[in-house]
Amino acid sequence: MPLLLFDLDNTLLPRDAAFRAWARDFLTERGLPPDDLDWLVTIDGGGYVPRSTVLSAIQRRYGLDDSLDFLLAHFRRGINSHIHCPSRNIDALRAARAAGWTLGIVSNGNTRPQLEKIRRTGLGPMVDGWVISEEAECVKPDPLIFEIAAQRCGIAPTGDWASNTWMVGDHAPADIAGAELTGLRSVWLHHGRPWAEPGYRPTLKAAGLPEAVGQVLAARSAPGARPGIRAAEPGHRRAVGTAAMGGSRRLRGPADGAAPAAALSGARTGAQAPLSALDGPRAPVPGGRPDSGAPAAVAAVRV
């Protein structure tokens, strides 16, 4: 069965629009200049600037006494309260499902807020599985995260799985480079931007998700990845089992102070239970404090 993978922020969900709405509310609540909205949007960097950098700059600009932890909590609640999945995107997912495609989400980011977005927008029942970089301990464009996604969607990442898989995303270094390195075909959501990466390219380009899905459904015979780019070797594929099922790169369990592996598996079966497990104020989150600053290898993580 063909597999169609999606990025989450600014692909399935209009993340930047939600940030702008939070920023507008923040300025209004604090009685701050409304004309500063563009300043906040600029320093956000589309979510790729660490939250500690953004919130520290906000503290200094406005002379706020609030702690970074308080501002981070305010931000998390605010942006997720504005997040939604447009009906046209839901319709596109339904069209792909009706055409016989298996659907999955591959997201870089912190586990708890990304799962909260999936829960709030009703995407859980719409897909067969998902993977989030923090809980999987690997980040796009690493081919391993795409292989984990395939496995969680019920497709073994062996044989010719890559030739039957597409990736749709808006961030070239994570989504499109990752697809090419893994041997997947891809659709880049350009959002009005020109393509600027000379070393690789998407299979197709689209203005938005519905167009991207339509192109994929119409392009079953489109060419595969360029020669010279290979999917992961068989030994690499075997590592998927350890990352997803509890080997040396296992998901941390309760003994590690993290959410149980079952709650983070990202499989569609029982999808609503793991998401609801994160509703409570004391719900466990793997990996310690969110937005603590991404290491160099996590440069493509939205926050």
Side-chain angles (χ1 to χ4, degrees):
M1 183 177 292
L3 174 61
L4 182 52
L5 300 174
F6 299 93
D7 173 48
L8 186 62
D9 291 317
N10 289 335
T11 296
L12 287 170
L13 306 178
R15 182 266 173 203
D16 287 354
F19 177 87
R20 178 176 282 272
W22 167 80
R24 185 180 293 110
D25 289 349
F26 178 80
L27 294 172
T28 300
E29 291 169 6
R30 300 296 181 110
L32 299 172
D35 290 344
D36 278 6
L37 179 60
D38 287 341
W39 183 89
L40 289 169
V41 169
T42 299
I43 200 169
D44 172 59
Y48 290 104
V49 178
R51 290 306 89 188
S52 57
T53 300
V54 174
L55 297 176
S56 293
I58 289 173
Q59 278 182 323
R60 293 192 304 273
R61 183 176 180 88
Y62 301 115
L64 302 180
D65 294 329
D66 302 293
S67 69
L68 287 179
D69 286 341
F70 177 87
L71 291 174
L72 177 61
H74 184 283
F75 166 77
R76 288 297 188 202
R77 290 193 303 269
I79 192 170
N80 279 351
S81 71
H82 287 290
I83 206 74
H84 72 288
C85 189
S87 58
R88 60 185 181 276
N89 290 0
I90 294 292
D91 290 342
L93 293 178
R94 288 174 175 157
R97 172 77 70 200
W101 287 75
T102 298
L103 308 179
I105 297 171
V106 188
S107 176
N108 283 353
N110 298 114
T111 305
R112 184 170 183 168
Q114 298 304 84
L115 281 177
E116 177 68 5
K117 291 173 187 176
I118 293 172
R119 185 192 70 81
R120 279 182 174 271
T121 58
L123 282 173
M126 302 292 298
V127 299
D128 296 282
W130 56 83
V131 59
I132 299 169
S133 62
E134 184 187 50
E135 51 90 3
E137 298 182 351
C138 60
V139 181
K140 293 181 293 186
D142 186 342
L144 178 59
I145 197 169
F146 298 95
E147 296 176 22
I148 293 172
Q151 187 173 71
R152 292 184 181 181
C153 289
I155 294 176
T158 58
D160 63 351
W161 80 278
S163 65
N164 294 314
T165 300
W166 287 74
M167 175 67 194
V168 177
D170 71 296
H171 189 56
D175 301 319
I176 307 307
E180 182 148 329
L181 291 170
T182 313
L184 317 181
R185 285 172 286 182
S186 62
V187 185
W188 180 56
L189 302 189
H190 58 73
H191 299 313
R193 302 164 295 168
W195 180 257
E197 301 292 340
Y200 57 93
R201 61 183 180 271
T203 309
L204 300 169
K205 301 176 185 178
L209 188 83
E211 180 186 349
V213 171
Q215 289 180 348
V216 171
L217 298 187
R220 290 294 296 277
S221 59
R226 287 186 291 144
I229 300 294
R230 298 182 300 166
E233 298 297 334
H236 188 177
R237 291 192 185 106
R238 285 194 293 271
V240 176
T242 63
M245 306 303 291
S248 59
R249 297 191 63 188
R250 65 187 178 88
L251 299 179
R252 287 160 289 181
D256 302 301
L264 298 171
S265 65
R268 189 183 183 202
T269 303
Q272 295 308 299
L275 291 173
S276 62
L278 296 177
D279 289 345
R282 292 182 295 278
V285 181
R289 179 171 169 263
D291 293 306
S292 57
V298 192
V301 174
R302 275 197 180 99
V303 289

